[in-house]
C-alpha cells in the first residue's frame, strides 16, 4: 500500500518531468535546423526537408502527442545531432557518469559518514572543529573552481581531460589503470564538495541523537563508550543521514555536470551541454528525464532503504 | 570495518598515480584535439565541421584541392571534360585505385553515391546542395561517369561529396539509421576509421593501399575536449600533438613553451558586423524590428566609417587577424578583393558624424542621435571584447549601444528573425566563393513564415543578384574572378555588414613528436580544417629516443600518501579508544 | 519532556558550544559587513577608465607586483579592481535570488502547511516535483531560455531553489499548527488569518531568516556556476564571470593563478561567511533541548 | 563484595553555580524499599542518576555515594562499568525513549547479560515480567506502553542486581496499566528480595510499593519515614501539600464541590446575561444527542448523549484513547461530527462562519499543558487579550485583561501582564490560560486534563479556582480527566467513557462509590490507595 503510493508518486513526478521537459526545451530559442546547417551550403528546400524529417513542421500539440505516444512505447525519440535514438546516445554516455558519480559517492559517503560520526561524538574537540571547518569551507567552494585549481596545482601529474588515453595498451589492467588515472582529479573534485555535505549531515544527525535517553540506558548497562556509539547511537543516527544522502542526489548530479565540464569527462553532463547548443530537443528531454529519473529513483530507494533499515517504518 | 573501507577507497583513488604515462615506443600516433562534437560517421548525415573533416580522411572526393595552391587536382577522377553547352560533364576514374578492403574503386561507386543522393532525401542531408542542379548521373563504364545538369554549373569541380563504396552501401537498408560503424570502415582516403567512442575519441589507422601512397604516421587519433582551454593544456603536457582554433591569448601562452611549435595561418573565416538593412522576406514583406534608420545606406556607411578596424585588430584579435574588406578572405588569393584607396572607407569619426548629420540624424540634446542594439554571442571572446570597443567608437558618433550577449541559439534566433540592429556574425568560406556570395542574394531571405532563409544579413540588391547569376555561368575563370570582385565591391559599398577581420587560424603542435605538417596553402596555410586531408596525410614524425619515466618518484609519492592516510586513521582510532576512558 | 530536563540533566556543554558558534557567526558577519562595504563604496572610488578595456594601457597577463598587486587580466585590467567591482554583482544576485527563493518557499510552505485539502496536496506535489528536478539542470535550461541578464540569473536560481525552504517552512507550520496554543486560538474563535498572522508567521520568520541566509550562500555559488558556464550576464563583472573569463582566455594553461585564485577565494570566503552567520542564527533560533 | 546496599552521604550536585541537590543523605539496605517523592525540579532524578555516575560532565558531584561499600565517585571507569547494571540497575522513565528504537527488545535485554557474563535467558526474564517469549523479537514501537515498561523491568533484572532504581516507571501509563505494572514490581521485589529505590511525584504510587518514604523539596531531603506514617502525619508542609493532592475517593473531606452550588451559579448568570436569550433554568446549557465522530474508518465517538446544566461541573473520565478528547473537541466545534447533534443553549452549534465564531465566545477551552497552550512569544497581556482581539470586542482592552487576570487570581495583574510565559511557573501559566478564557465571559469551560501536568502543590489551587469561578460566575465546566480523584474533588456529575461510548453517567457519589458498569469498577479498583 505504502509502496504503491510511493511508486505512484514517483511515476507522477516522472510524467511531470516529461511534460515540463517537452515545453521547456521548445522555448529554448533557436531553430535546430538552422543551427545544424549553418555554415554549409543549404537551400530553403533542404531546410524544409530536414524540418519534415524531424517532425518540426507540425503544430506543437501534434508534436507533443507524438512525443507522448512514442514515450509510452519506450522510445525517447531521435537525436537531431547524432541521428540516432536518444536512448542509445544516452546509454553510451551513462557508463562514464555512473563510474564517476558512483566512485565519488562511495568515497564521499564512506568518508563523510565516518568523519561525521567522529566529529559529532567528540563535539567541540579539535577534530570536530577541524572537520566541521573544512567541511563548511569545502561546501562553499564552487565545484568548477576546485577542479581548475586542482588541475593547475597538479600540473603534469594527471591527465587534463577525458576518461581514457587513446594509446593505452588494450589489455584490461592497463585500461583500468588508465581510467583510474583519469578518474583521480574529477572524483577528488566531486568527493570534496559532496563529502562536505555528508559530513555535516551525519554530524548533525548524530548530534540529534546524542541526548537520546536510550544512550543513557546503554551507558547505565555498563557499555564502553565506543560500544554505545557503535551499537546504539550510530544505528539510529545513520538512518536519517542515509535518507538525506540519497535525497541530496540532485546535488551529486549538479556536481557531476560541472565536474564533467571542467575535465571533459565524457558523461551525461557533457552531453547535456552539447545538446543545449543544438538545441537537440529530444536529447534534452531524454537527458532531463534520465537525470530527474535518477533522482526520483534515488528518493524511492531512500524510502525503501529506510523501510528496510528502520523497523519503525513498517508499522506505518 | 569502516576504517578498512576508507583505506581501500583511498588506495583505489591513489592507484591512479601509478599509471605509466604514455608509452614511449610503439607506433607513430598523431593525436589531435577536437573541440566540436562528432555528430555522425555517416557521410550523408554528418554536418559538423569536425565530422566533415574526418570524413575527408576516410573518403576521397571526385576531385581535390592541391595542398600548395588550392587549385583543383586529381581526386578519384583524374580527368574531366564539360560539353560545349556546359550541361554534360564527363569524369574519368582511372584504374588502380582501391578501397581499403581491396575492392577496386570504379565509376560505379561514384554514380551510386550521387544517385543515392538524388533519390534519397535523407542522403541529401549533409551535401544535398551540390546535387540539386543534377538531372542524371550515369556510369557508362567502370571508368567513366557522366553527369548531366539542368543548368550550367560553375562549381562542378568543387563537389565536396564523399564517394562511398557501392559494395558496402548498397546493402544499407535505411540511410537514416545507419551509423556507419562497421569497423574498420571501408573507405578510399588515407586513413581508415577503426574505433569511435562517442564523446571521447576517434581512432583511424593508416590506409596502406591509399593510391597516393601510405601516410607516414601509423595511427591518427582525434581526442574530444570540452573547450580549447583544456586542449591547450593537454598540448602543453603532450597528451595531444595538434591543436587548432586557439584564442589569441592561448596562442600567446604557448609562445615560449618548449617542444611546441605554433602555426599562425590564414584562415577561411571572417568575422562581420551585421547592420540590419531593413530585413524583408523573399516576398518583400518586412520582418524583424531593425532600427529603420539603418535602412539608409548613408547611415550604414557612417557606422562602418566609425569603426576602427585597426584597433579591433590590435586590441581584440591581438594582431592575429587581417583587416576586413571583401567577403572572400585573402587565403583564397585570386577571389579576394581589397578596396582601392579611393573606395576604401578609412576610420574617420568626424566624417561619420558629418555624414549622419547630413543624413538627417542630428545629435539630440543629450548628444545622442539614436541608440542601437548590438547582439553578440556570450562566451565568444571576440564578441565580448569587441562589443566594448564598438560601444565606445559608436558612442563617439552619438550612437549609444545596448550590448546584448546571448547564447548561440539566441543569436541564431535573433538573426533568423532579424530582431537585431547590429550583430556579430561570421562565416567560413570555401575555395569556391559561390557559397558565401550566394548567401547574400535575395533568394536566400526567409519565406513568409520566417523560415527557410540562410542569410543573416538580409541583403537584397538587384545589381548584386545580377552579378551573382552571371558568375554562376561564367566558365572563364579570369572573367569570373572579375565578377566576384565586383560583387564584393558592391557589398562593401552597400554595407549590409562590415567585414571586421579575417581571423587567423591559430594552431600548434608538439615539435618534439612531429617535424612538419603539410599546410594548405603552402605559404601561411593551415594544418587542420583544410579543404583536404593534407595536414594529417603529410604529418612527419620525429625519430625519437626512448625516454625513461621516473617511476621512483611516483612510487614515493604513492607510499607517502598512503602512509599519511593510514596514520591519520590509526591515530584517530587510538584517540577514540583512549577517549572512552574519559567518557 | 521528562524529568531529566527539569533536573537540568541536559544543561551540559551547550552554552560553550553555542558561544563558539556565535563567535564564528560574528566573524562571518564581520566578513559580510566588509564585503558589503566594498561592494557599495568601492565602485565609486574606481576610476571609470580603469575597467574599460578600450582604455586600459597596461600589458595583459601581468603577474602580481608593485603596479597591480593582484596582477592584470587578459586585457590588462587590474584584477584587484575587477574583484572589487565584481563583489557588488555577486552579492546582489545572491541576495535577490535568495530573497526570491525564500519568499516563494515561505509562501508555499505556509499555505500548504496551514490549509489542508486539495490545495495543500497540489502544492506538496509541486514542491516534491521541484525538489526532485536537478536544480542546476533546470537553472541552466532556464537561463538558456530567457534573455541574458542579471534578472534571468536571479530568476533561474530563485525558481529552482525554493523547494527546500518550502519543505522546512511547511514542517515548521505543521509543528506550530499542532501546538495547543493554536488550538486554543481556534477555540477562541480565531480564523485562518489570525492563526497565520499571530502564531504561524512569528515562528516561521526566524526560520525563514536562517534559510534566507543559507540560501544566499548557495545562490552565490549557483551564480558563479552559471556565470562560469557562460550563462551569466557578460556585460557585468561578477566573481563567477571573472572565472569564466579566466577559463575562456586560458588562465590555466598560462598558469595565471592570480586570475583564477582571487575570484574563487572571494566566493568561498563570502559563502562561508553567510553559512557561518546562517548557522549561528540557526543555533539561536532553534531552541536546543 | 560486601552487600551493604546503597548509602548516600552528604550528596550535593551542582550544575555550574546552580545547586540541584543539596546535602542529601540516604541509606537503603538490601531488600529494603524506599520511595523518593518530590515535584519536578526537586532533584530526585539527579539523585537517582548519581548512583551509577550517569550525570553529564558538567555536573559537579560532592559527598559520597557508597554502593555496596564502594564510593562510586572514586571508581575507575573499568570498575564502574562492571558495577553498572550488575550491582544496581535502573528502570527509566518513558520506556519509549529509553529503549533503542531500532534494536529488538530481546537483544537489548541480552546485551548487559553478555557484557557482564551473567547466565540466564531472555525468555526467562520475559516470563518473569509476564510477557510471552515471542515478544523478544519485537521492536519497542511494536509494544504497548505497559509492555515496554515490562521490558525495561526485565532488562533491569537481567544481571541480577541487588538494587533496582525505578525512576517514574509508571508516569506515562494509564491507571489500569499502572496498577498492573506496580503489582508486578511489588511481586518481583518481594520474590527476589531486591532493594528498590522508587522515584515518583505521585505519593499514591509510592504508597503502593514502598515501605519507606523520603520527600525531596528544592534539592533537599525534607522528610523520611515509614510510608503510612509520613502520609498520615506529614511534618513538613510540602509533604502535606503532596498528600493533599491525591484525594481519597470516598473521603468527604476531599470533596470540594458542595451540593447545590450549581443552581446558585445559574442564578448569578442571569444577572450578567448579555445575549438576547434569557436561559431558563429548566433547559440545560449543553445537550449532546447521539453524537458520532469518525476518524477515517475508526469511530472515536460512538453515539454519545451528554447533558450539562447551567453552572454544573461534569467530569468526563476514561482512559486515553477512549474518545473523551474527541468528544470535547466536537462539542467546541473544532471538529465536525459524523452524525448527531450538539445543542448549546437551545440552539444547534453552527458548523462554520460568523455564527461559529460567535458561539466560540460562549465556550472556552483550557488545555492540559499550560506551557504549550501559551505561545512562548506572546506576553501575558497578548495571550489574554487574544480572544478580545479575535472578536474585536469593544472596551478598554487593558482593563478587561486586568480584570480577567485578577479573576484568575494573579494579583496584582500589572506584575504579570508584561511577562513571557516561560518566566511564570506552571500554576501561573494555567491561570493565564484561564484568564484568557474568562476575558470573553464564556458560559461553559471545557477543561482537558486541567491539572495533570501541574505539580501536586499547585494542583489544589487550580481546582479551587475552577470551583470559585463556578461559584462566582456560574461558569459551567466539562472536565476531561483520567484521574478519578480529580473527579471526586470537583465534579457534580461524572460520565465514564470507554471505547467511544459513555458507559455510565450519574452523580459523583453514585458513580465512583457504587459503580455499576464493569469498566468503571476496574477503573476505581486500579486507583492506588494510600
Amino acid at each position: 500500500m505504502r509502496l504503491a503510493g510511493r511508486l505512484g508518486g514517483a511515476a507522477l513526478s516522472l510524467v511531470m518531468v516529461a511534460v515540463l521537459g517537452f515545453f521547456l526545451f521548445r522555448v529554448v530559442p533557436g531553430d535546430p535546423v538552422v543551427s545544424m546547417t549553418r555554415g554549409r551550403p543549404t537551400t530553403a528546400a533542404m531546410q524544409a526537408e530536414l524540418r519534415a524529417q524531424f517532425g518540426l513542421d507540425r503544430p506543437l500539440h501534434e508534436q507533443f502527442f507524438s512525443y507522448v505516444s512514442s514515450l509510452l512505447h519506450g522510445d525517447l525519440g531521435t537525436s537531431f545531432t547524432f541521428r540516432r535514438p536518444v536512448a542509445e546516445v544516452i546509454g553510451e554516455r551513462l557508463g562514464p557518469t555512473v563510474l564517476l558519480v558512483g566512485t565519488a559517492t562511495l568515497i564521499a559517503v564512506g568518508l563523510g559518514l565516518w568523519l561525521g560520526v567522529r566529529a559529532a561524538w567528540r563535539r567541540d574537540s579539535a577534530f570536530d572543529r577541524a572537520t566541521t571547518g573544512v567541511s563548511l569551507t569545502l561546501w562553499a567552494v564552487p565545484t568548477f573552481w576546485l577542479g581548475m585549481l586542482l588541475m593547475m596545482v597538479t600540473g603534469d601529474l594527471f591527465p587534463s581531460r577525458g576518461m581514457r588515453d587513446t594509446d593505452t595498451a588494450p589489455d584490461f589492467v592497463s585500461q583500468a589503470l588508465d581510467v583510474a588515472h583519469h578518474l583521480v582529479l574529477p572524483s577528488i573534485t566531486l568527493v570534496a564538495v559532496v563529502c562536505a555535505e555528508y559530513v555535516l549531515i551525519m554530524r548533525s544527525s548524530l548530534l540529534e541523537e546524542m541526548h537520546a535517553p536510550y544512550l543513557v540506558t546503554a551507558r547505565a548497562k555498563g557499555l564502553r563508550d565506543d560500544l554505545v556509539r557503535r551499537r546504539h547511537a550510530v544505528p539510529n543516527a545513520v538512518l536519517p543521514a542515509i535518507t538525506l544522502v540519497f535525497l541530496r542526489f540532485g546535488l551529486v548530479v549538479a556536481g557531476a555536470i560541472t565536474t564533467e565540464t571542467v575535465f571533459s569527462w565524457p558523461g551525461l553532463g557533457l552531453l547535456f551541454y552539447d545538446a543545449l547548443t543544438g538545441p537537440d530537443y529530444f536529447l534534452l528531454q531524454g537527458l532531463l528525464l534520465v537525470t530527474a529519473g535518477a533522482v526520483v529513483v534515488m528518493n524511492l530507494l531512500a524510502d525503501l532503504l529506510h523501510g528496510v533499515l528502520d523497523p519503525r517504518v513498517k508499522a506505518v | 570495518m569502516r576504517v578498512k573501507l576508507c583505506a581501500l577507497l583511498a588506495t583505489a583513488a591513489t592507484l591512479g598515480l601509478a599509471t605509466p604515462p604514455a608509452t614511449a615506443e610503439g607506433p607513430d600516433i598523431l593525436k589531435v584535439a577536437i573541440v566540436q562534437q562528432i555528430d555522425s560517421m555517416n557521410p550523408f548525415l554528418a554536418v559538423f565541421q569536425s565530422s566533415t573533416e574526418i570524413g575527408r580522411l576516410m573518403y576521397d572526393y571526385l576531385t581535390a584541392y592541391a595542398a600548395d595552391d588550392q587549385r583543383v587536382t586529381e581526386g578519384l577522377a583524374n580527368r574531366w571534360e564539360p560539353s560545349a553547352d556546359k550541361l554534360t560533364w564527363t569524369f574519368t576514374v582511372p584504374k588502380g585505385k582501391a578501397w581499403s578492403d581491396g575492392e577496386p574503386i570504379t565509376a560505379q561507386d561514384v554514380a551510386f553515391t550521387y544517385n543515392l543522393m538524388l533519390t534519397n532525401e535523407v542522403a541529401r542531408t549533409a551535401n544535398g546542395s551540390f546535387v540539386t542542379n543534377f538531372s542524371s548521373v550515369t556510369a557508362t563504364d567502370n571508368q567513366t561517369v557522366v553527369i548531366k545538369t539542368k543548368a550550367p554549373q560553375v562549381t562542378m569541380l568543387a563537389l565536396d561529396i564523399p564517394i562511398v563504396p557501392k559494395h558496402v552501401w548498397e546493402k544499407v537498408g535505411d540511410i537514416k539509421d545507419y551509423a556507419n560503424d562497421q569497423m574498420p570502415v571501408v573507405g578510399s582516403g588515407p586513413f581508415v576509421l577503426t574505433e569511435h567512442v562517442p564523446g571521447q575519441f576517434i581512432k583511424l589507422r593508416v590506409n596502406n593501399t591509399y593510391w597516393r601512397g601510405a601516410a607516414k604516421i601509423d595511427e591518427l587519433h582525434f581526442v574530444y575536449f570540452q573547450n580549447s582551454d583544456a586542449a591547450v593544456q593537454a598540448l602543453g603536457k603532450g597528451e595531444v600533438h595538434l591543436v587548432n582554433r586557439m584564442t589569441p591569448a592561448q596562442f600567446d601562452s604557448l609562445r615560449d613553451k618548449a617542444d611546441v611549435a605554433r602555426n599562425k595561418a590564414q584562415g577561411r573565416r571572417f568575422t562581420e558586423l551585421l547592420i540590419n538593412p531593413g530585413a524583408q522576406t523573399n516576398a518583400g514583406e518586412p520582418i524583424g524590428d531593425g532600427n529603420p534608420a539603418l535602412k539608409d545606406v548613408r547611415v550604414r556607411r557612417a557606422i562602418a566609417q566609425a569603426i576602427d578596424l585597426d584597433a579591433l585588430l590590435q586590441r581584440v584579435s591581438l594582431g592575429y587577424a587581417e583587416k576586413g574588406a571583401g567577403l572572400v578572405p585573402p587565403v583564397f588569393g585570386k577571389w579576394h578583393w581589397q578596396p582601392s584607396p579611393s573606395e576604401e572607407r578609412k576610420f574617420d569619426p568626424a566624417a561619420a558624424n558629418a555624414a549622419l548629420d547630413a543624413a538627417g540624424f542630428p545629435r539630440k540634446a543629450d548628444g545622442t542621435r539614436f541608440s542601437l542594439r548590438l547582439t553578440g554571442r556570450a562566451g565568444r571572446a571576440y564578441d565580448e571584447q569587441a562589443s566594448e570597443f564598438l560601444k565606445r567608437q559608436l558612442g563617439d558618433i552619438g550612437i549609444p549601444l545596448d550590448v546584448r550577449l546571448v547564447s548561440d541559439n539566441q543569436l541564431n534566433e535573433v538573426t533568423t528573425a532579424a530582431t537585431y540592429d547590429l550583430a556579430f556574425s561570421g562565416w567560413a568560406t570555401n575555395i569556391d566563393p559561390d557559397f558565401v556570395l550566394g548567401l547574400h542574394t535575395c533568394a536566400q531571405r526567409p519565406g513568409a513564415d520566417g523560415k527557410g532563409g540562410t542569410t543573416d544579413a538580409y541583403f537584397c540588391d538587384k545589381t548584386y543578384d545580377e552579378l551573382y547569376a552571371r558568375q554562376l555561368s561564367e566558365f572563364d575563370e579570369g572573367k569570373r574572378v572579375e565578377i566576384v570582385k565586383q560583387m564584393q565591391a558592391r557589398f562593401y559599398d552597400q554595407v549590409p555588414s562590415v567585414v571586421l577581420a579575417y581571423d587567423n587560424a591559430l594552431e600548434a603542435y608538439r615539435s618534439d613528436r612531429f617535424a612538419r605538417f603539410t599546410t594548405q596553402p603552402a605559404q601561411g596555410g593551415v594544418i587542420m580544417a583544410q579543404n583536404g586531408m593534407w595536414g594529417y596525410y603529410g604529418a612527419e614524425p620525429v625519430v625519437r629516443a626512448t625516454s625513461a619515466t621516473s617511476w621512483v618518484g611516483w612510487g614515493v609519492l604513492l607510499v607517502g600518501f598512503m602512509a599519511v592516510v593510514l596514520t591519520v586513521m590509526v591515530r584517530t582510532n587510538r584517540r577514540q579508544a583512549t577517549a572512552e576512558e574519559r567518557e | 519532556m521528562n524529568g531529566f530536563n527539569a533536573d537540568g540533566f541536559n544543561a551540559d556543554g551547550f552554552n560553550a558550544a553555542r558561544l563558539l558558534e556565535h563567535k564564528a557567526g560574528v566573524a562571518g558577519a564581520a566578513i559580510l559587513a566588509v564585503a558589503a562595504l566594498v561592494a557599495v563604496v568601492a565602485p565609486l572610488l574606481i576610476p571609470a577608465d580603469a575597467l574599460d578595456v578600450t582604455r586600459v594601457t597596461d600589458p595583459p597577463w601581468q603577474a602580481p607586483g608593485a603596479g597591480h598587486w593582484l596582477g592584470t587580466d587578459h586585457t590588462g585590467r587590474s584584477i584587484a579592481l575587477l574583484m572589487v567591482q565584481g563583489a557588488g554583482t555577486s552579492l546582489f544576485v545572491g541576495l535577490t535570488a535568495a530573497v526570491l527563493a525564500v519568499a516563494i518557499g515561505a509562501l508555499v510552505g505556509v499555505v500548504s502547511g496551514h490549509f489542508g485539502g486539495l490545495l495543500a496536496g497540489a502544492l506538496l506535489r509541486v514542491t516534491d516535483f521541484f525538489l526532485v528536478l536537478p536544480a542546476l539542470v533546470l537553472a541552466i535550461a532556464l537561463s538558456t531560455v530567457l534573455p541574458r541578464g542579471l534578472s534571468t540569473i536571479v530568476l533561474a536560481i530563485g525558481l529552482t531553489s525554493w523547494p527546500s525552504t518550502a519543505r522546512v517552512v511547511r514542517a515548521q507550520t505543521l509543528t506550530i499548527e499542532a501546538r495547543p496554543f493554536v488550538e486554543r486560538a481556534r477555540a477562541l474563535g480565531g480564523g485562518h488569518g489570525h492563526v497565520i498572522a499571530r502564531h504561524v508567521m512569528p515562528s516561521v520568520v526566524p526560520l525563514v531568516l536562517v534559510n534566507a541566509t543559507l540560501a544566499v550562500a548557495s545562490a552565490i555559488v549557483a551564480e558563479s556556476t552559471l556565470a562560469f558556464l557562460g550563462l551569466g550576464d557578460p556585460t557585468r563583472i561578477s566573481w563567477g564571470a571573472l572565472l569564466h573569463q579566466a577559463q575562456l582566455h586560458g588562465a590555466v594553461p598560462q598558469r595565471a593563478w592570480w586570475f583564477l585564485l582571487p575570484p574563487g577565494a572571494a566566493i568561498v570566503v563570502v559563502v562561508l561567511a553567510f553559512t557561518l552567520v546562517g548557522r549561528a542564527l540557526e543555533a539561536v533560533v532553534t531552541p536546543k533541548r | 563484595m560486601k552487600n551493604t546496599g546503597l548509602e548516600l552521604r552528604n550528596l550535593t550536585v551542582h550544575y555550574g553555580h546552580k545547586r540541584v541537590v543539596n546535602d542529601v543523605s540516604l541509606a537503603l539496605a538490601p531488600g529494603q524499599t524506599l520511595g523518593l517523592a518530590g515535584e519536578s525540579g526537586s532533584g530526585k532524578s539527579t539523585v537517582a542518576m548519581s548512583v551509577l555516575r550517569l550525570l553529564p560532565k558538567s555536573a559537579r558531584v560532592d559527598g559520597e555515594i557508597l554502593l555496596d561499600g564502594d564510593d562510586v565517585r572514586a571508581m575507575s571507569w573499568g570498575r564502574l562499568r562492571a558495577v553498572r547494571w550488575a550491582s544496581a540497575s535502573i528502570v527509566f522513565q518513558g520506556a519509549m525513549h529509553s529503549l533503542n528504537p531500532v534494536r529488538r527488545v530481546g537483544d537489548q535485554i541480552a546485551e548487559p547479560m553478555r557484557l557482564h557474563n551473567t547466565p540466564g535467558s531472555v525468555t526467562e526474564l520475559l516470563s518473569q515480567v509476564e510477557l510471552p517469549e515471542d515478544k523478544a523479537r519485537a521492536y519497542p514501537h511494536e509494544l504497548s506502553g505497559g509492555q515496554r515498561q515490562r521490558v525495561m523491568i526485565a532488562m533491569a533484572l537481567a544481571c541480577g542486581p541487588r538494587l533496582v532504581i525505578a525512576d517514574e516507571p509508571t508516569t506515562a501509563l494509564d491507571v489500569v496499566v499502572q496498577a498492573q505494572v506496580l503489582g508486578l514490581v511489588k511481586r518481583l521485589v518481594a520474590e527476589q528480595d531486591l532493594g528498590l529505590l522508587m522515584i515518583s511525584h505521585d505519593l499514591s504510587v509510592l504508597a503502593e510499593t514502598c515501605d519507606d518514604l523520603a520527600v525531596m523539596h528544592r534539592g533537599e531531603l525534607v522528610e523520611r519515614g515509614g510510608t503510612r506514617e509520613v502520609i498520615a502525619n506529614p511534618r513538613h508542609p510540602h509533604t502535606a501539600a503532596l498528600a493533599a493532592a491525591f484525594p481519597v475517593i470516598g473521603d468527604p473531606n476531599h470533596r470540594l464541590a458542595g451540593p447545590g452550588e450549581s443552581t446558585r451559579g445559574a442564578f448569578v448568570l442571569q444577572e450578567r446575561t448579555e445575549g438576547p436569550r434569557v436561559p431558563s433554568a429548566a433547559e440545560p446549557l449543553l445537550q449532546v444527542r447521539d453524537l458520532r465522530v469518525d476518524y477515517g474508518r475508526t469511530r472515536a465517538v460512538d453515539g454519545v448523549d451528554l447533558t450539562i446544566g447551567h453552572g454544573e461541573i461534569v467530569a468526563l473520565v476514561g482512559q486515553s484513547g477512549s474518545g473523551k478528547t474527541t468528544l470535547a473537541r466536537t462539542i467546541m466545534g473544532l471538529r465536525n461530527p459524523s452524525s448527531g447533534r450538539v445543542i448549546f443553549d437551545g440552539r444547534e452549534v453552527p458548523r462554520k462562519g460568523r455564527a461559529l465564531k460567535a458561539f466560540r465566545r460562549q465556550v472556552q477551552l483550557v488545555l492540559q499543558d499550560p506551557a504549550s497552550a501559551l505561545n512562548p512569544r506572546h506576553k501575558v497581556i497578548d495571550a489574554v487579550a487574544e480572544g478580545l482581539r479575535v472578536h474585536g470586542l469593544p472596551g478598554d482592552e487593558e482593563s478587561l485583561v486586568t480584570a480577567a487576570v485578577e479573576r484568575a487570581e494573579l494579583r496584582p495583574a500589572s506584575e504579570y501582564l508584561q511577562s513571557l510565559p516561560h518566566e511564570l511557573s506552571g500554576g501561573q501559566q494555567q491561570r493565564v490560560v484561564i484568564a484568557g478564557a474568562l476575558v470573553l465571559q464564556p458560559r461553559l469551560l471545557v477543561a482537558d486534563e486541567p491539572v495533570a501536568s501541574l505539580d501536586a502543590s499547585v494542583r489544589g489551587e487550580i481546582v479551587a479556582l475552577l470551583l470559585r469561578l463556578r461559584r462566582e460566575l456560574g461558569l459551567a465546566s466539562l472536565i476531561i480527566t483520567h484521574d478519578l480523584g480529580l473527579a471526586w474533588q470537583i465534579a457534580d456529575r461524572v460520565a465514564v467513557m470507554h471505547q467511544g461510548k459513555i458507559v455510565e453517567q450519574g452523580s459523583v457519589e453514585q458513580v465512583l462509590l457504587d459503580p455499576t458498569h464493569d469498566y468503571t469498577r476496574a477503573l476505581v479498583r486500579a486507583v492506588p490507595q494510600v
Side-chain angles (χ1 to χ4, degrees), chain B residues 2 92 155 213 224 260 270 288 305 396 413 434 474 498 574:
Chain B
R2 201 177 298 125
T92 306
T155 58
Y224 178 67
V260 171
F270 65 83
Q305 200 163 24
D396 288 346
E413 183 155 279
D434 177 61
E474 180 54 71
V498 180
R574 185 170 308 148

Side-chain angles (χ1 to χ4, degrees), chain D residues 482-527:
Chain D
H482 68 284
D483 180 351
L484 295 186
L486 177 66
W488 175 256
Q489 275 181 308
I490 195 171
D492 303 316
R493 287 194 304 121
V494 175
V496 180
M497 202 159 173
H498 181 54
Q499 293 176 354
K501 292 192 168 74
I502 292 201
V503 296
E504 192 163 355
Q505 193 170 173
S507 76
V508 172
E509 289 83 357
Q510 181 191 335
V511 175
L512 295 186
L513 299 182
D514 186 18
T516 54
H517 194 273
D518 285 346
Y519 178 69
T520 319
R521 282 199 207 115
L523 270 187
V524 172
R525 215 174 25 245
V527 175

Side-chain angles (χ1 to χ4, degrees), chain C residues 2-4 6-9 11-13 179-181 183-190 194 198-199 202-203 206, chain D residues 15 45-46 49 54-56 58 93 329 334 357 360 364 367 372-378 383 386 390-391 440:
Chain C
N2 54 36
F4 295 173
D7 286 358
F9 195 75
D12 60 334
R179 292 273 163 79
F181 60 76
E183 186 172 35
R184 173 174 166 271
R186 288 229 173 80
L188 285 169
H194 174 80
R198 295 291 300 155
H199 295 283
S203 58
Chain D
Y15 284 113
S45 283
T46 307
M49 290 298 154
L54 289 169
L55 293 174
S58 54
Q93 171 181 34
R329 299 289 188 278
L334 290 169
K357 193 170 169 181
R360 284 190 176 152
Q364 283 300 320
L367 288 159
S372 60
L374 293 172
N375 190 327
R377 295 164 201 277
H378 290 185
E386 189 170 6
V390 164
H391 290 279
L440 287 175

